[in-house]
Amino acid sequence: MVRIVGIDLPKVKRIEYALTSIYGIGLTSSRSILEYANIDTNKRVHELEDSDVIALREVIEKHFKTEEDLRRV
C-alpha cells in the first residue's frame, strides 16, 4: 500500500492518475510531480519501489500545497 500525504493511493491505477486522488493535485500537477521525481507516468502504483515513493513524497511536500494546507485556507 502506498500512502502519501495521508491518502492511500489505488493500487491498480497508473501513478499519473492515482496522484489526482490527493486533494490539490490535478492531472497537470501530477505529471509535473512525476517529471521532478523522474518516474515513468505509465507505472502502476503497485509497481513503485520504495525509492520512488520517497521521491514522490519529497517533491509533493516541497513544491505543492495539498490536503490539510488547502483545507485550512
Side-chain angles (χ1 to χ4, degrees), residues 56-72:
L56 284 173
R57 283 186 186 137
E58 289 175 357
V59 169
I60 291 171
E61 289 174 2
K62 288 181 184 176
H63 301 286
F64 293 90
K65 281 189 174 183
T66 56
E67 290 295 324
E68 297 170 7
D69 295 334
L70 288 175
R71 292 181 196 272
R72 234 179 299 159

Side-chain angles (χ1 to χ4, degrees), residues 7-20:
I7 301 296
D8 294 330
L9 299 180
K11 293 180 186 178
V12 287
K13 281 190 173 183
R14 287 177 33 198
I15 187 63
E16 174 179 37
Y17 294 106
L19 286 175
T20 62

Side-chain angles (χ1 to χ4, degrees), residues 18-31:
L19 286 175
T20 62
S21 62
I22 299 172
Y23 185 77
I25 296 179
L27 192 55
T28 305
S29 299
S30 173
R31 289 179 179 154

